[in-house]
Amino acid sequence: MLLADLTRRTAVRLALGVTLFVLTALILSSAIGYSLLRGQLIARQDARITEIFTALQSTAQFGDQADLVEAATTRIAASIDLSTVYLLRGPTGAVLAANIPDIWYKPGWSRVEAPILGISDDTPYRVFTGTSGGFSIVVGMTYSDLDDLADISFAAFGWSALGVLLVAIGAGAFIAIRVQARISEVEATLHAVGHGDLTARLTVSRRGSDLDQISLAINQALARLESLVEAVRQVSADIAHDLRTPLNRLRIRIEAAVEANIQGTSPASDLAEALAQSDAIDQTFSALLRIAQIEAGGARANFHPLDLSDLIRTLAEVYADVAEDSGMTLLCDASVPAMVNGDKHLLTQMFANLIENAIRHCQLGTTITCEVRAADNQLVASIADTGPGIPEAERDNVLRRLYRLEKSRTTEGSGLGLALVKAVAEAHDATLALMDAGPGLRVSLQFATLPRA
Amino acid sequence: MRLLLIEDDTAVAAYVARGLTEQGHICDVMTDGTDGLFQATRESYDVLVVDRMLPGLDGLSLVRALRASGGRAPVLFLTALGGIDDRVEGLEAGADDYLTKPFAFAELMARVNALARRPPVQDVQTVLRVGDLELDMLRRQARRGGQAIDLLPKEFTLLEVLMRNAGRIVTRTMLLERVWDFHFDPKTSVVETHISRLRAKIDKPFEVALLQTVKNSGYMLHAPR
């Protein structure tokens, strides 16, 4: 079971594969080396046999029989171990000198087994038979050198194979263990995530290997997942908390209406209140859903190039009269061409929210300024007012869902306006900043300019 | 007028049907998508009110199938999915208008009326008239009793929407969508402000007021008899 488990691991299979490959390569190279050497040795042996034969042949041609027999006898005497064999036959066919039996030898090159030559050895002999001046000369030489070569080759191959095998297995195991550790970590982390621990992350080394790249991508996906789940959790908590309050008020109104009906008085005013309350709940709900939709990132599908200045000017036109009716002044300075990639409806709602915030939360006489400015590849759209502003410590808080400043609790509003602004800004990769307009509040949004085609 | 309501929430269906009947309309109710499509193709209706999520056949497929089979009756979608994407999807499937739940009955009625009496697709009318008020679409000019009225571009569009729907209620939401392309609910009195500016130009200088505010519903432009 353990073995089956091991062979299923990619790393182990990789290591085994590499080892097999290296072994095959080693066998091939050894075989080639052996056959080359063997060919070389055979050629050299043949050359030596030819050399001896030629020497005896020249003696047979130029000297007399006694010289030839003596030369042969000397050579025979020198070959005590019978590594070289000779047979000299006179013109009559009688054997003149020999250390091998008097049998028929095939003319030219041949291969003769040792026992035929009366030698107790397994190694065959290379034999050359030729004639010269009526004499027949046989010269043979053992193949034992070739046997030695084979032995040496096999020994060399065996040892190097063992070495290679050990190194390959060692390296394979080392790599396999390291890779396996990373894979096991990924497994364990994803398992933890699957069981709800969204804070789990993979370790990423500084080497930047492919596994690091994958780990980094997984970590990014996990971070996004965590923030999304956190957002959902936040929304659920917000809904639970902030919708139950108005629901309770609605219930009280309905109870009052029921009571009024029983008492015989008119429930009309309570019912009208209840209706208004239910509309308010619906609005809060819609706003929460809309923010969640924007945050889920579906907006990109509706992104098109559009002129931010156009959009701001149109909005300023719509709201100038509304501001005037509230005793405020709305100014607009948006004349630079300002192409961005965005969702027209979302951007309209975002800037409308900012302008409406200014109109609703500022006092008479306030001046609201809508501006679009361009500066090296950046576009900054801002809505500024000369109202009371937001204390620096509260600026992060007001971007949160359903958060409302103490003093604005009494005015109408869901506390979702700026949360929506933030969600739209993030969907557009725009940088949102709340600043002191001295006096008042300036909300600025920095967009990346659309690269010109 | 004759309406077909395809809605699986029986409480909503009963409420809407009762309201429509009280207004003197004939209203048939279907609670299943497949039955609804069958009914819509078998009989002729002035307006179909279709819920988007239905058992049997969902609203989008129903409208697509209806349009594919040549059904021309205007369709108003009812839905709890209020995102712009959902809206666009519905309109692309062949619906004519869209209403998000929960809705006020007055809003539903105004939209149904606007759909039912919507003029045929090719509208060749170049001058709109309500009483002594005239809107010349080609010259982009407004006149009342022969007297020229200066209108800003958005005021012109606002008046145009009101005049095209003369005699019927146009809700605040309908105006926001059609005049300003706003698909959200403003927290300030955008509509009221612009209506009052328009009134100052088309009604104030004259004896008879044409533009009426309908309480809890919207606005209506009509000539007194």
Side-chain angles (χ1 to χ4, degrees):
Chain A
M1 194 193 86
L2 184 68
L3 191 71
D5 192 45
L6 266 181
T7 51
R8 224 177 291 127
R9 302 285 187 195
T10 309
V12 173
R13 276 161 51 181
L14 201 68
L16 280 177
V18 169
T19 308
L20 268 178
F21 179 77
V22 169
L23 264 183
T24 313
L26 187 70
I27 289 171
L28 262 176
S29 67
S30 300
I32 291 170
Y34 173 73
S35 75
L36 279 176
L37 256 171
R38 189 185 140 89
Q40 193 73 30
L41 274 174
I42 287 174
R44 278 173 64 181
Q45 196 173 31
D46 284 3
R48 275 179 64 204
I49 292 171
T50 313
E51 194 188 318
I52 295 167
F53 180 83
T54 314
L56 291 172
Q57 190 184 37
S58 56
T59 316
Q61 270 172 354
F62 302 108
D64 58 318
Q65 184 176 331
D67 283 350
L68 180 60
V69 171
E70 198 196 321
T73 312
T74 312
R75 283 182 185 274
I76 287 169
S79 175
I80 304 163
D81 60 354
L82 293 176
S83 63
T84 314
V85 294
Y86 305 90
L87 185 133
L88 180 61
R89 226 188 281 271
T92 57
V95 174
L96 301 175
N99 55 1
I100 45 173
D102 176 14
I103 52 171
W104 179 83
Y105 294 95
K106 189 180 150 224
W109 291 104
S110 63
R111 173 193 163 102
V112 184
E113 294 303 322
I116 296 174
L117 299 175
I119 301 161
S120 54
D121 195 359
D122 311 335
T123 324
Y125 277 67
R126 178 85 165 146
V127 174
F128 184 78
T129 307
T131 55
S132 179
F135 296 97
S136 171
I137 304 164
V138 178
V139 180
M141 211 173 257
T142 180
Y143 265 126
S144 69
D145 278 6
L146 288 180
D147 269 10
D148 290 352
L149 172 72
D151 287 351
I152 292 167
S153 292
F154 273 115
F157 167 74
W159 285 112
S160 47
L162 188 68
V164 164
L165 209 59
L166 285 177
V167 170
I169 288 173
F174 177 69
I175 294 168
I177 287 168
R178 289 188 53 144
V179 170
Q180 191 54 53
R182 297 289 294 268
I183 291 176
S184 299
E185 196 207 342
V186 173
E187 241 172 84
T189 306
L190 292 183
H191 190 76
V193 170
H195 282 79
D197 176 15
L198 292 175
T199 57
R201 293 289 181 279
L202 297 169
T203 46
V204 179
S205 76
R206 241 171 287 145
R207 281 195 309 278
S209 69
D210 48 356
L211 275 176
D212 289 326
Q213 307 277 335
I214 292 171
S215 301
L216 211 63
I218 292 177
N219 280 350
Q220 281 164 354
L222 286 178
R224 175 102 182 100
L225 191 66
E226 189 190 1
S227 74
L228 283 178
V229 169
E230 183 47 45
V232 170
R233 202 174 287 161
Q234 183 69 41
V235 172
S236 317
D238 291 347
I239 290 176
H241 178 261
D242 276 73
L243 280 182
R244 292 187 89 165
T245 315
L247 267 178
N248 193 43
R249 275 187 227 138
L250 175 62
R251 197 194 148 82
I252 290 168
R253 285 295 172 189
I254 294 171
E255 275 181 353
V258 170
E259 188 59 31
N261 199 34
I262 292 168
Q263 302 292 326
T265 54
S266 168
S269 70
D270 284 319
L271 284 177
E273 281 288 339
L275 201 59
Q277 197 67 52
S278 82
D279 282 347
I281 293 170
D282 175 44
Q283 276 184 17
T284 306
F285 227 122
S286 308
L288 279 172
L289 279 177
R290 196 148 162 76
I291 292 170
Q293 271 178 344
I294 297 165
E295 282 177 346
R300 291 234 155 235
N302 296 322
F303 275 27
H304 298 290
L306 58 93
D307 191 332
L308 211 54
S309 288
D310 262 1
L311 192 142
I312 299 271
R313 274 201 308 273
T314 310
L315 274 175
E317 225 172 82
V318 173
Y319 282 103
D321 291 343
V322 181
E324 196 185 310
D325 284 4
S326 309
M328 303 178 187
T329 314
L330 191 141
L331 304 173
C332 179
D333 177 9
S335 47
V336 292
M339 295 305 291
V340 297
N341 208 11
D343 182 318
K344 185 174 169 239
H345 288 133
L346 289 183
L347 289 175
T348 303
Q349 186 173 2
M350 177 176 80
F351 286 111
N353 265 3
L354 290 173
I355 297 172
E356 294 197 325
N357 271 349
I359 295 176
R360 284 164 54 225
H361 297 298
C362 295
Q363 65 278 40
L364 280 173
T366 298
T367 301
I368 301 163
T369 315
C370 309
E371 237 177 34
V372 178
R373 298 231 172 282
D376 32 75
N377 290 336
Q378 297 289 329
L379 286 167
V380 180
S382 65
I383 311 290
D385 62 56
T386 54
I390 296 176
E392 194 162 352
E394 293 278 24
R395 283 182 199 156
D396 278 340
N397 288 334
V398 294
L399 296 177
R400 285 190 359 225
R401 262 181 270 261
L402 299 164
Y403 184 88
R404 306 191 61 195
L405 290 177
E406 254 337 293
K407 61 186 171 193
S408 67
R409 287 248 169 221
T410 47
T411 57
E412 215 183 306
S414 58
L416 288 166
L418 281 174
L420 186 127
V421 169
K422 184 175 164 231
V424 175
E426 276 171 5
H428 286 80
D429 290 328
T431 315
L432 170 68
L434 269 55
M435 294 175 286
D436 195 345
L441 175 70
R442 173 189 296 275
V443 181
S444 85
L445 286 131
Q446 190 173 318
F447 291 83
T449 320
L450 199 64
R452 274 171 224 286
Chain B
M1 103 178 108
R2 191 144 187 240
L3 297 117
L4 175 62
L5 173 64
I6 310 173
E7 161 70 86
D8 62 319
D9 183 336
T10 47
V12 173
Y15 168 68
V16 172
R18 202 182 65 216
L20 289 168
T21 315
E22 274 169 12
Q23 302 247 333
H25 303 298
I26 301 160
C27 182
D28 293 341
V29 179
M30 290 284 146
T31 53
D32 175 281
T34 325
D35 297 348
L37 178 63
F38 178 66
Q39 185 68 18
T41 47
R42 199 178 56 169
E43 306 219 5
S44 130
Y45 290 97
D46 296 307
V47 176
L48 306 183
V49 180
V50 181
D51 187 44
R52 246 194 91 157
M53 290 203 232
L54 285 168
L57 184 70
D58 70 281
L60 274 184
S61 314
L62 189 152
V63 172
R64 280 201 197 100
L66 180 73
R67 293 287 183 250
S69 68
R72 297 228 152 275
V75 172
L76 172 66
F77 254 144
L78 293 184
T79 182
L81 308 166
I84 287 177
D85 289 353
D86 307 309
R87 213 183 293 254
V88 170
E89 211 180 359
L91 297 182
E92 274 173 356
D96 299 80
D97 203 359
Y98 211 97
L99 189 55
T100 310
K101 287 183 189 174
F103 54 84
F105 185 75
E107 182 79 35
L108 173 76
M109 208 54 242
R111 286 182 188 259
V112 165
N113 278 330
L115 283 179
R117 286 189 238 163
R118 188 183 264 184
V121 188
Q122 275 88 29
D123 183 9
V124 286
Q125 248 181 310
T126 58
V127 181
L128 304 172
R129 278 192 189 82
V130 176
D132 56 350
L133 180 63
E134 279 181 11
L135 198 62
D136 187 329
M137 301 304 297
L138 293 180
R139 294 203 185 82
R140 309 227 19 115
Q141 246 177 24
R143 308 175 76 79
R144 185 163 178 193
Q147 194 179 326
I149 302 170
D150 245 350
L151 293 178
L152 294 171
K154 281 293 167 196
E155 289 170 345
F156 188 92
T157 315
L158 175 58
L159 184 56
E160 183 193 336
V161 171
L162 288 166
M163 287 185 85
R164 284 195 189 278
N165 290 286
R168 31 186 205 263
I169 298 168
V170 184
T171 64
R172 203 169 152 264
T173 320
M174 288 163 81
L175 287 176
L176 283 167
E177 284 172 10
R178 284 164 209 189
V179 179
W180 293 282
D181 198 17
F182 276 14
H183 297 272
F184 56 93
D185 196 10
K187 300 285 184 296
T188 53
S189 48
V190 175
V191 178
E192 295 76 0
T193 299
H194 290 277
I195 286 282
S196 97
R197 303 280 154 135
L198 182 64
R199 261 199 187 119
K201 290 184 177 178
I202 65 162
D203 273 349
K204 276 272 171 61
F206 304 92
E207 268 181 33
V208 182
L210 299 174
L211 183 51
Q212 315 289 328
T213 302
V214 185
K215 197 163 175 280
N216 291 331
S217 298
Y219 302 92
M220 182 158 66
L221 193 70
H222 73 126
R225 306 202 182 265

